Amino acid sequence: MRASTTRPSAPRTAVFFHAHPDDEALLTAGTMAMLAAEGHRVVLVVATSGERGQADLAPGEALGEARMAELYKSAAALGCARVVNLGYGDSGLAPGGGIAEDRPPNAFIDADGEEAARRLAAILTEEGADLLTTYDPAGGYGHPDHVQVHRVGGRAAQIAGTPIVLEATVNRDPLLRGLKLARRFYPQLDVRAFERAYSRGEEITHRVNVRRFARQKRASMAAHATQATGADTRTLGVMLKVPGPLYRLVFGTEWYVRRDLAAGTRLRHPFETPPKA
Ligand SMILES: [Zn+2]
């Protein structure tokens, strides 16, 4: 299926909406670097500063500041033109997954969704955004703040009239294969946690080949030092140790679902439009 496709000749603006610093590194970094390299304006928006993430630093303001500094470093590596933090509190994650009870009063999941969507919509309008990325309805691996990104992002695009909404996700099938392979080297890796996460291959409309941007993606991951050091079980720490060739194999593609396109659509570029039927 190599039908004719249309790509824009004029630069466009893409806004990548993420829950916490470091989510951009795992899910969309290659696409961001690619669009920036093509001359498009790439804007990174986070809902929180991730001040309750796992780290050697105690959760709190200092960790939030450190993680925002890391986010700026990552954004620079990817060629972002602007970084915005909506400033909600990191809702954290309960020990077994799910909603933490000891979350801060301004936690993103407790925010008025309509108000949060209006704030994001204001950025989309100001930027004249052509494209917004959110998350799949499952919120990837199910972090409550990620589910909220899906809700708030979709509504914001509606308010602002942003024409393209892509749900950043992972094709669960190669992810599980990759993790099972990685488990040979890191037996402590919990593969079961990913069995119902993200999206099935058949739901995915966009498979973006980002192999050429593996260096930038790795630099983006490496920028998030607080999330990549210490215990081996932390996802980023494990990912960074994956040897180069395997890394390119596992992380060479980024996946998106565009819900307004027919099932079975297979596109390779975020701004690509499907050939007319
Ligand atoms: Zn996150």
Side-chain angles (χ1 to χ4, degrees):
M1 278 229 303
R2 281 229 148 223
S4 65
T5 55
T6 26
R7 292 199 187 166
S9 46
R12 293 196 184 179
T13 298
V15 175
F16 288 79
F17 183 35
H18 285 286
H20 315 104
D22 91 345
D23 291 321
E24 87 291 354
L26 277 167
L27 283 167
T28 64
T31 309
M32 294 167 81
M34 181 185 80
L35 292 179
E38 289 173 359
H40 301 291
R41 180 173 167 85
V42 176
V43 175
L44 173 56
V45 179
V46 288
T48 81
S49 61
E51 71 277 10
R52 288 165 57 85
Q54 292 182 322
D56 296 330
L57 274 172
E61 207 173 310
L63 176 58
E65 279 168 24
R67 295 196 65 187
M68 282 308 295
E70 292 171 353
L71 186 70
Y72 280 104
K73 213 168 147 188
S74 158
L78 300 175
C80 293
R82 181 185 178 195
V83 178
V84 182
N85 179 5
L86 294 183
Y88 290 102
D90 181 348
S91 308
L93 196 60
I99 296 171
E101 280 178 17
D102 59 340
R103 58 191 188 273
N106 64 336
F108 186 40
I109 51 157
D110 298 323
D112 175 345
E114 190 65 19
E115 195 238 324
R118 276 200 303 271
R119 292 183 58 206
L120 178 58
I123 297 166
L124 296 173
T125 303
E126 181 192 339
E127 290 286 347
D130 300 287
L131 180 154
L132 173 72
T133 70
T134 66
Y135 296 148
D136 57 68
Y141 62 89
H143 191 298
D145 283 338
H146 287 230
V147 178
Q148 183 78 320
V149 161
H150 169 76
R151 294 197 207 108
V152 168
R155 178 70 186 129
Q158 245 175 13
I159 297 170
T162 306
I164 302 174
V165 178
L166 297 182
E167 296 175 4
T169 188
V170 170
N171 184 342
R172 194 190 294 160
D173 312 333
L175 172 76
L176 282 173
R177 281 199 299 274
L179 286 171
K180 280 172 186 160
L181 201 62
R183 194 172 48 183
R184 289 191 204 162
F185 306 100
Y186 308 103
Q188 70 274 47
L189 202 61
D190 186 6
V191 172
R192 283 167 311 159
F194 292 90
E195 274 165 2
R196 279 182 303 279
Y198 301 105
S199 306
R200 283 167 294 133
E202 68 214 51
E203 289 180 83
I204 288 162
T205 54
H206 289 65
R207 289 162 171 78
V208 181
N209 182 339
V210 297
R211 251 170 239 198
R212 281 181 303 134
F213 300 94
R215 189 178 53 81
Q216 290 89 329
K217 186 164 180 165
R218 214 179 173 95
S220 164
M221 286 189 181
H224 294 285
T226 59
Q227 304 300 295
T229 55
D232 274 355
T233 47
R234 289 175 201 164
T235 320
L236 268 181
V238 171
M239 302 300 187
L240 277 170
K241 285 179 201 150
V242 173
L246 177 61
Y247 178 91
R248 278 192 290 280
L249 188 74
V250 179
F251 297 99
T253 307
E254 289 173 354
W255 298 271
Y256 300 90
V257 179
R258 187 173 156 183
R259 300 269 166 205
D260 60 324
L261 298 182
T265 305
R266 288 174 83 96
L267 301 177
R268 296 178 180 281
H269 190 280
F271 287 133
E272 193 177 352
T273 47
K276 295 258 185 311

